[in-house]
Amino acid sequence: MAARNQTAAVIGAGDFIGAAIAKKLAAEGFTIFVGRRNGDKLAPLVKEIEVGGGRVFGRSLDARKEEEVVSFLSDADKQAPLEVCVFNIGANVNFPLLETTERVFRKVWEMACYSGFLAGREAARLMLQHGRGSIFFTGATASLRGGVGYAAFASAKFGLRAVAQAAARELWPENIHVAHLIIDSGVDTEWVRERIKEREGQAALDNLDPNRLMPPMAVAEAYWQLYQQPRSAWVFEQEIRPFGEKW
Amino acid sequence: MAARNQTAAVIGAGDFIGAAIAKKLAAEGFTIFVGRRNGDKLAPLVKEIEVGGGRVFGRSLDARKEEEVVSFLSDADKQAPLEVCVFNIGANVNFPLLETTERVFRKVWEMACYSGFLAGREAARLMLQHGRGSIFFTGATASLRGGVGYAAFASAKFGLRAVAQAAARELWPENIHVAHLIIDSGVDTEWVRERIKEREGQAALDNLDPNRLMPPMAVAEAYWQLYQQPRSAWVFEQEIRPFGEKW
Amino acid sequence: MAARNQTAAVIGAGDFIGAAIAKKLAAEGFTIFVGRRNGDKLAPLVKEIEVGGGRVFGRSLDARKEEEVVSFLSDADKQAPLEVCVFNIGANVNFPLLETTERVFRKVWEMACYSGFLAGREAARLMLQHGRGSIFFTGATASLRGGVGYAAFASAKFGLRAVAQAAARELWPENIHVAHLIIDSGVDTEWVRERIKEREGQAALDNLDPNRLMPPMAVAEAYWQLYQQPRSAWVFEQEIRPFGEKW
Amino acid sequence: MAARNQTAAVIGAGDFIGAAIAKKLAAEGFTIFVGRRNGDKLAPLVKEIEVGGGRVFGRSLDARKEEEVVSFLSDADKQAPLEVCVFNIGANVNFPLLETTERVFRKVWEMACYSGFLAGREAARLMLQHGRGSIFFTGATASLRGGVGYAAFASAKFGLRAVAQAAARELWPENIHVAHLIIDSGVDTEWVRERIKEREGQAALDNLDPNRLMPPMAVAEAYWQLYQQPRSAWVFEQEIRPFGEKW
């Protein structure tokens, strides 16, 4: 691994996906800035990356606060030019429309859409000075489909996708690759496994088809493919799903 | 015109479109509730409807306030069962991503998405008691496309569309028709005419092709078609545009 | 019913949908031209329309033959100016990819796509002389989704949709309304009832939820709505489905 | 370059894109089968690959003939298990609807859709025996949009996309990666340069922005990314375009 004089920021490294992205980018030589609420929970990830020879900074970050996003990304850019910014905050909740409180609706939007706008805008501001960069947003099935019980979550994810589209149309000509990666599948995380256990029982979990859930590292690899694309053939959006998934 | 013992609520009657919808529904016999900020500006519309023999209530309404939406719609429902609710608030702004302040981004969302969620949820709550109703949302080109300068507006309109989709999937089986009408065209309003004058000059406005802009009443007619559909063949979404529009 | 000096052609009146469209348009005063293979099977439909006071011509028509389409439509236009042309031929088959013979693939395309192209082109040729008209194409779920076993059928329906789009973009400015109606549901026909019986048994058919299948007349009403739209607010495409349908 | 005991077939290697794909796959160690009408025109490509140390077979192939497709692919599979099949035949023509002859409509479909069905089906048949493989289809802007003058071409490309979708849904669970690559851009080929010269003049061509056209090798690299995806996170469809393209 050759170190690069470039920084990659991962906003929303609280789950397995963000951690996998951080590890992949560290392994490719980037200095990593990872942010999440309760930054102390980042300690194991930071340690794992450092043991592997990577360079990483873990920070507490409430990405719904403009000033925190500004300082997180500008600090990252001071270490080395900000080259990659991945916005990876989800807020997957399911409530019937009538039980969706205004508080839930607003909070899910602030986490999954509004903070993505702030991250994209601020990353763009820094990257425009360097004349290059990649800004990636993590989407979900709910980015394209407002299903039963998903008024709040889908609304936020649809909104984030629009931000990504507008940003891409404005920033691509400036040599900044904006892309939107839609994960149309369950991902193999503790949270997803817990839900399977709740719904289907311990036996279902014990006998889980290894191909049913997407490994977090596969998401990281998908981002790495996007990063490597030549600017003569950029992709804005792609949907990934396991080979056995129904769609 | 036979009066109906049913109420239709139009939220966002500040522009020509909302007024046209209100007039059409009044002409079809509904008792009308129209709400907008600065409700005193509704006086000419209220008068016009009343002169035509319609029954109408104009109200000041800040649709971003949950308690105001609740009382507006429940007051409507007290007059006669709430049968139709049209959410028609836009917030069409265009700013480059880097000049989109967090305040603009949030405010556009509150006006064009969040208040639509509140209106849809509260209308549903009332209509479920009657076992029927129609909830319609006004969309725009930006509901499907995040164009240059539209990070804020498209994000809100995408988000509103997701609310409409989730609501439709939940409420159709309860005999409530939720639909999303996309206006893919300029509409003939003072505001649009002003913009044409600014951009293209007075001469362009004077010689305006009468087929270039969509008359507000055509939007009202489109809603009226949606209302008349039998539940055996409902439409969730349709895009309307003038015959000469490029798309 | 006031008779109109206008003709409506329905190509593919072999099923219940085409018959319902023909009856609706006859009831609205159009002279009707209906075509299908084995035109003698049109006798009951022709009789029913005539008994109702309508004016109708039933013809044998192989819509895959250019010269037959040309003469069918020009004969219609000679009765009275061709005002409406509905292309309604389906060819719903389901075969696994490996069992889809080249003959099936080609035949389905000829029936459901190629003949639609011929009909649209020839209707346009006649309508351009009158400076007005409506050309409508019947689509299906498979117009938007290539599902398991639908390589042949979806390929033809996707292809027909492209023809409709290109025709709409070329002909709308000429005052010809081209539209594509997607039926995202089973329709209540003998053929569909037979399939339910085969798959689910006689009891399932006897206890069929009356809201499960779309009545053919609802499709006809949807076309009638499209026909009535003012050109200032035309719709190109709409999907209809019953209120209880999952989507 | 380590030789692989695997064959890659490229159907439609008549243009620069197919040649670039063949060269890329040869460089990755596959034995290459390239087919096009007038197979003798493949001589320079075959020579170039051989000089580079690759193993390649050039064949005359009319992909609209079932028996030719069958023997082309089974011959390829006899050299070494067929691992990759790229269907790359286009037929980009533009005619107003009324000037689109039935012969053109049919021929474009046979070239761009029907032969793709044959190729996909036959590749699947062989790959199912090996329990693995990749089948890739080249799409275009017209795969998603039926523009003015594109009734024939878009109809064929829409139809090919449906074949790809149905094939993907059937074959992914069998460990065969079916994908559809949409090139939403001009590609830097002699034919495209000729058209620019015709429309915009020699000076436009001489001063061509090097970023305006997509280099054929960028398409090949996009296919190579698709090939490398782990089956836990496959992509069905992606659109590639240069960073400066309007969309």
Side-chain angles (χ1 to χ4, degrees), chain B residues 65-82:
Chain B
K65 301 222 168 108
E66 186 175 33
E67 67 280 9
E68 293 198 23
V69 172
V70 169
S71 66
F72 177 80
L73 290 174
S74 64
D75 285 358
D77 194 57
K78 278 169 199 154
Q79 287 294 326
L82 183 67

Side-chain angles (χ1 to χ4, degrees), chain B residues 36-133:
Chain B
R36 59 163 297 177
R37 281 184 297 176
N38 306 318
D40 48 328
K41 292 189 182 168
L42 289 167
L45 173 62
V46 166
K47 192 171 178 184
E48 183 180 348
I49 291 175
E50 287 176 340
V51 165
R55 185 170 159 82
V56 58
F57 297 81
R59 289 281 180 90
S60 274
L61 169 65
D62 184 343
R64 298 168 299 175
K65 301 222 168 108
E66 186 175 33
E67 67 280 9
E68 293 198 23
V69 172
V70 169
S71 66
F72 177 80
L73 290 174
S74 64
D75 285 358
D77 194 57
K78 278 169 199 154
Q79 287 294 326
L82 183 67
E83 171 72 1
V84 180
C85 178
V86 181
F87 177 78
N88 183 55
I89 299 177
N92 191 334
V93 296
N94 186 296
F95 293 102
L97 179 64
L98 260 60
E99 295 169 27
T100 305
T101 63
E102 77 82 25
R103 192 172 164 278
V104 159
F105 191 81
R106 180 182 294 273
K107 196 174 172 185
V108 168
W109 173 77
E110 286 180 345
M111 289 173 64
C113 179
Y114 169 73
S115 52
F117 155 71
L118 292 176
R121 189 192 65 188
E122 292 309 307
R125 205 184 297 283
L126 297 161
M127 290 172 180
L128 282 167
Q129 295 169 22
H130 312 312
R132 57 177 290 122

Side-chain angles (χ1 to χ4, degrees), chain A residues 10 21 24 31 52 63 100 112 114 148 154-155 159 170 182 186 190 215 230 242:
Chain A
V10 180
I21 297 167
K24 173 66 184 174
T31 296
T100 304
Y114 169 72
V148 170
S155 184
E170 292 184 44
I182 296 177
E190 263 180 35

Side-chain angles (χ1 to χ4, degrees), chain B residues 169 225 231 238 243 247, chain C residues 169 225 231 238 243 247:
Chain B
R169 290 192 170 95
Q225 281 204 343
R231 72 178 189 176
Q238 60 189 12
F243 75 108
W247 51 289
Chain C
R169 289 193 169 96
Q225 281 204 343
R231 73 178 188 176
Q238 59 189 12
F243 73 109
W247 51 289

Side-chain angles (χ1 to χ4, degrees), chain D residues 75-87:
Chain D
D75 285 357
D77 193 56
K78 279 171 200 153
Q79 287 294 327
L82 184 66
E83 170 73 2
V84 180
C85 179
V86 181
F87 177 78

